[in-house]
Amino acid sequence: MITVDLRRELAAVYSAGRAPAFVDVPELSFLMIDGHGDPNSASAYAAAVQALYSLAYPIRFALTRRPDAVDARVMPLEGQWWTPDMTTFSTDAKSEWNWTLLIAVPEQVTDAVVEDARDAAVRKHPAAPVDRVRLARFAEGRCAQVLHVGPYSAEGPTVAALHAFIAANGCALTGRHHEIYLGDPRRAAPEKLRTILRQPVA
């Protein structure tokens, strides 16, 4: 059985320090689902998270049963956040956010694998919006990122420091604010949560 660990293979992409730094993010495959509203209060957000994981784990197990078996750990949850006018994007106005939630998957995951997992997920989790999850490839390119340690509600100063670093290096913000959740808020204390904050640049 082949072991695929994207988090280890792409260590520069899925790790960050407390000081902002640039990183080049290659094209990757993701499970994706879109939504709108404050993640802390919008019921659609919790449903979207459930839908992603309802597919991610059956996909992992399906890959282990193939003739060319692959053991690929489920990757961290990620979120892209944006507003129509990114110059007004603010962590204080979350109800205005659009979002896409993502989980990276290995190259061995195909549309057929996803559809088989979707059929099983619908039977097991009929209320989860698994029909809205899609498999797509996405190349983020040149980005700046930094590690935020603490509650999500306290990200504002870290985001500001990231944006200041980008400006100080003669770059401009482009694309969507991106977060990678290395901690589980159901298990870790808020002050110990670790989140990579990423911003594409030009």
Side-chain angles (χ1 to χ4, degrees):
M1 182 180 295
I2 300 171
T3 298
V4 176
D5 188 344
L6 292 179
R7 190 165 171 180
R8 183 181 62 189
E9 294 172 10
L10 300 169
V13 175
Y14 285 99
S15 62
R18 301 292 289 270
F22 288 111
V23 62
D24 292 304
V25 184
E27 183 175 86
L28 298 169
S29 294
F30 292 91
L31 300 175
M32 301 182 177
I33 185 170
D34 303 318
H36 176 83
D38 187 338
N40 298 310
S41 58
S43 59
Y45 179 83
V49 172
Q50 182 186 25
L52 280 180
Y53 282 111
S54 294
L55 285 177
Y57 281 98
I59 285 172
R60 179 186 183 183
F61 297 138
L63 292 179
T64 66
R65 296 192 295 267
R66 291 162 38 131
D68 54 340
V70 174
D71 181 18
R73 67 184 292 185
V74 174
M75 291 290 285
L77 179 68
E78 307 182 36
Q80 292 180 319
W81 309 87
W82 77 99
T83 55
D85 180 3
M86 282 299 288
T87 62
T88 65
F89 183 84
S90 170
T91 56
D92 296 325
K94 295 180 179 179
S95 63
E96 300 175 6
W97 287 1
N98 298 308
W99 41 262
T100 297
L101 299 181
L102 315 92
I103 294 179
V105 293
E107 301 295 322
Q108 292 85 351
V109 176
T110 63
D111 288 332
V113 171
V114 172
E115 291 311 313
D116 286 346
R118 195 190 312 273
D119 291 341
V122 167
R123 292 192 296 270
K124 190 171 183 179
H125 305 282
V130 294
D131 58 308
R132 292 173 40 216
V133 178
R134 66 189 183 280
L135 175 67
R137 292 185 63 79
F138 172 62
E140 204 160 21
R142 187 69 164 169
C143 298
Q145 65 184 30
V146 66
L147 180 67
H148 171 77
V149 179
Y152 305 136
S153 60
E155 287 179 356
T158 312
V159 172
L162 180 64
H163 290 183
F165 168 81
I166 292 168
N169 281 274
C171 296
L173 280 62
T174 184
R176 302 171 178 177
H177 175 76
H178 189 160
E179 302 189 356
I180 302 171
Y181 305 105
L182 304 180
D184 186 343
R186 298 169 301 177
R187 300 177 182 177
E191 65 273 13
K192 294 184 178 179
L193 289 171
R194 299 166 63 247
T195 308
I196 296 175
L197 306 183
R198 180 183 295 163
Q199 177 61 53
V201 301

